[in-house]
Amino acid sequence: MFSIFPLNRTFILTVAGLAVLAGLIAFTEHKQNHRQCEGIDIRMDEVDGHRFLNRNDVLRTLTNDGADPLLGDDYATMDLKRLENRLKQNGLIKSCQLYRDLKGILIADIKQQRPLARLVPDGTEDKSAFAGYYLTEEGQWFPLSMNYTARVVLISGPYFSERKSLTTEKNQAFLNLLKQIEADPFWKAQVAQVMVDKNREVTLIPQVGDCLIEIGQPVDLESKFEKIKLFYKHILPLKKGDGYRRVSVQYRNQIVCE
């Protein structure tokens, strides 16, 4: 007859070990849930060196300007999702994640917005240093920062008078134009401002000189930028005096200079 005692002993030890492990996990979780917030660690990325926010900015938003200090609060009663939504109300924050470590420190991982261009006021609008908005690659607007000014191309014109979202397919071509300027060192150094009229006709203002460059609708960009390079390389050097006031490359196979 075979003895079943060794099998039963192994089974009992295994069950007992699992029970102890489960108890330790439950105890640790209970202890962690009843820990208090011992500190706040704010971690921010700096996309392309942008520093729109500092630690105090995030801390003020997170703690509701000090009305909800969080330090000393039990994690069992702390709603991290609600606090994340509070942080997202700051327009300079693109995304965030809150979690705690084993020491009771509340960690805030912050991703800042990334600007593609900056909208500047027209006409009678406020033209102070803090007037205007930044535009993201996705076509969304976010406010300026009092801490830092990003060096991006300026945009202006009646097309932006209502500051509607540019996330629609209709505006993708315009965003592609701005991305092409941002990605190319030559055009980034050359183009100071992009003006867009109510019909979405685009005019470029260069960094140097008074010549306006009309490209029309933001389509066939590769061909139009090649014609602008031809203008700078072969046509402009031949002009004496004040140069040209206007150059148009919006028509196929034509460069119109005045």
Side-chain angles (χ1 to χ4, degrees):
M1 177 180 292
F2 294 99
S3 172
I4 63 172
F5 178 74
L7 178 61
N8 288 340
R9 183 180 180 185
T10 302
F11 177 75
I12 292 171
L13 290 175
T14 301
V15 172
L18 291 175
V20 171
L21 180 61
L24 288 173
I25 293 174
F27 174 77
T28 301
E29 184 175 352
H30 175 79
K31 185 178 180 180
Q32 288 297 325
N33 284 337
H34 287 80
R35 291 199 69 153
Q36 295 180 336
C37 178
E38 302 292 342
I40 300 175
D41 182 8
I42 295 171
R43 304 173 182 177
M44 288 187 293
D45 67 338
E46 291 187 5
V47 180
D48 297 336
H50 299 315
R51 300 179 298 277
F52 296 119
L53 293 160
N54 57 42
R55 184 182 186 280
N56 289 334
D57 295 328
V58 178
L59 193 59
R60 281 194 296 267
T61 303
L62 181 61
T63 62
N64 195 20
D65 286 325
D68 186 11
L70 300 178
L71 291 177
D73 288 358
D74 288 338
Y75 280 111
T77 59
M78 188 180 295
D79 188 343
L80 296 183
K81 183 60 64 176
R82 178 179 64 85
L83 294 176
E84 287 178 354
N85 290 334
R86 179 187 291 176
L87 283 172
K88 291 175 184 177
Q89 293 176 5
N90 187 323
L92 297 172
I93 295 177
K94 181 177 183 178
S95 64
C96 62
Q97 184 178 11
L98 292 177
Y99 55 94
R100 70 176 189 269
D101 66 12
L102 296 177
K103 296 180 180 179
I105 304 298
L106 178 63
I107 298 174
D109 271 336
I110 306 296
K111 292 189 181 298
Q112 301 182 76
Q113 295 280 16
R114 184 182 188 279
L116 177 63
R118 175 179 173 177
L119 177 66
V120 293
D122 280 331
T124 59
E125 297 179 79
D126 180 11
K127 294 186 178 181
S128 67
F130 299 112
Y133 293 85
Y134 287 115
L135 180 68
T136 69
E137 291 184 344
E138 296 78 25
Q140 298 173 332
W141 303 102
F142 69 93
L144 304 186
S145 166
M146 297 184 67
N147 301 319
Y148 175 79
T149 300
R151 299 186 64 178
V152 291
V153 67
L154 303 178
I155 55 176
S156 63
Y159 190 73
F160 309 110
S161 59
E162 298 181 3
R163 201 168 53 82
K164 294 181 179 179
S165 171
L166 301 181
T167 58
T168 61
E169 185 65 28
K170 173 185 176 182
N171 293 297
Q172 191 59 51
F174 173 68
L175 293 176
N176 289 338
L177 166 66
L178 295 177
K179 291 176 185 178
Q180 185 163 341
I181 294 173
E182 174 68 19
D184 190 309
F186 176 80
W187 294 118
K188 189 173 182 179
Q190 183 65 29
V191 179
Q193 187 168 338
V194 178
M195 296 190 302
V196 187
D197 67 18
K198 62 182 180 179
N199 297 318
R200 213 171 55 136
E201 298 278 332
V202 176
T203 300
L204 306 180
I205 302 177
Q207 295 278 7
V208 180
D210 299 323
C211 180
L212 300 180
I213 302 173
E214 300 173 353
I215 68 172
Q217 294 292 317
V219 295
D220 299 326
L221 294 178
E222 184 175 350
S223 172
K224 291 178 180 180
F225 275 115
E226 282 299 319
K227 286 192 287 185
I228 297 172
K229 284 186 176 180
L230 286 174
F231 166 76
Y232 279 118
K233 185 176 181 179
H234 299 290
I235 299 176
L236 187 60
L238 300 177
K239 182 69 175 179
K240 306 297 182 180
D242 295 333
Y244 296 98
R245 295 181 295 104
R246 182 181 73 91
V247 174
S248 175
V249 296
Q250 59 183 310
Y251 303 111
R252 181 169 297 180
N253 299 324
Q254 292 186 34
I255 302 178
V256 180
C257 306
E258 292 182 356

